[in-house]
Amino acid sequence: MATLPAAAADLIGRASIVDGDTLDVHGERIRLWGIDAPESAQFCRGRDRKPYRCGALAANTLDAFARGKLVRCRPIEGDRYGRIVARCAAGGADLGQFMVSRGLALEEPQYSHGAYAADQLAARRSGRGIWSGRFVEPPVYRSCMHAGGTTLLCSDGEMRSR
């Protein structure tokens, strides 16, 4: 895991949303700290058991929320892909918490140390977002895709899903 200089400055500006947990600010690729959202092409099944593009929904919701707002990102570390991992806020709202509380991303407790646990529990109990039906966890989806799977199979195939 790459690290950042101890005095890495906050990044402030308009964000361009890449997906449900990644954005660009001033040309810097930033991964939201402590969360993992479905991949852009990933499908989930809703309450009605019909597939829907949960990854696109996550990205579009984050984009709609951040659009027109200044985003402030406080770098925490770097990741193996060269991205900055940061806690980001728009309009005073923590973007990681925003996504987890709406059921559009999962908390990564090994990194967040439970910062979003209450938000995820509330989303799960209320059946918000991906918690309304079934989904394959994003790392499982990515592993399947890297192994040569298809979007539909990896989203809803013989994979471990919730």
Side-chain angles (χ1 to χ4, degrees):
M1 174 103 31
T3 58
L4 296 174
D10 286 2
L11 293 160
I12 303 169
R14 304 277 184 223
S16 172
I17 304 306
V18 176
D19 61 27
D21 56 24
T22 310
L23 48 99
D24 285 332
V25 175
H26 299 301
E28 293 286 349
R29 181 70 42 109
I30 301 166
R31 168 72 190 252
L32 292 176
W33 171 84
I35 72 167
D36 196 4
E39 295 299 314
S40 293
Q42 188 173 342
F43 286 84
C44 297
R45 288 194 179 269
R47 203 170 265 110
D48 60 4
R49 298 187 178 156
K50 292 182 181 173
Y52 71 97
R53 296 200 53 202
C54 55
L57 177 62
N60 291 338
T61 301
L62 182 58
D63 181 61
F65 182 75
R67 188 177 304 129
K69 296 178 179 139
L70 280 180
V71 174
R72 174 185 215 103
C73 295
R74 174 155 294 141
I76 295 173
E77 61 190 358
D79 72 8
R80 62 184 170 170
Y81 302 108
R83 298 175 297 192
I84 296 168
V85 177
R87 286 190 88 159
C88 298
D94 178 310
L95 295 180
Q97 181 179 32
F98 173 82
M99 295 299 287
V100 171
S101 69
R102 281 155 183 77
L104 299 174
L106 299 174
E107 178 188 35
E108 291 185 300
Q110 69 272 30
Y111 302 113
S112 67
H113 308 290
Y116 305 129
D119 299 293
Q120 181 162 294
L121 182 60
R124 186 177 191 166
R125 285 183 174 164
S126 298
R128 289 192 292 267
I130 60 178
W131 299 107
S132 70
R134 290 182 40 151
F135 64 94
V136 172
E137 292 179 6
V140 175
Y141 173 84
R142 287 190 293 272
S143 292
C144 178
M145 292 298 291
H146 289 301
T150 65
T151 300
L152 288 175
L153 173 66
C154 293
S155 293
D156 195 41
E158 300 299 316
M159 306 300 296
R160 188 186 72 170
S161 60
R162 292 195 177 202

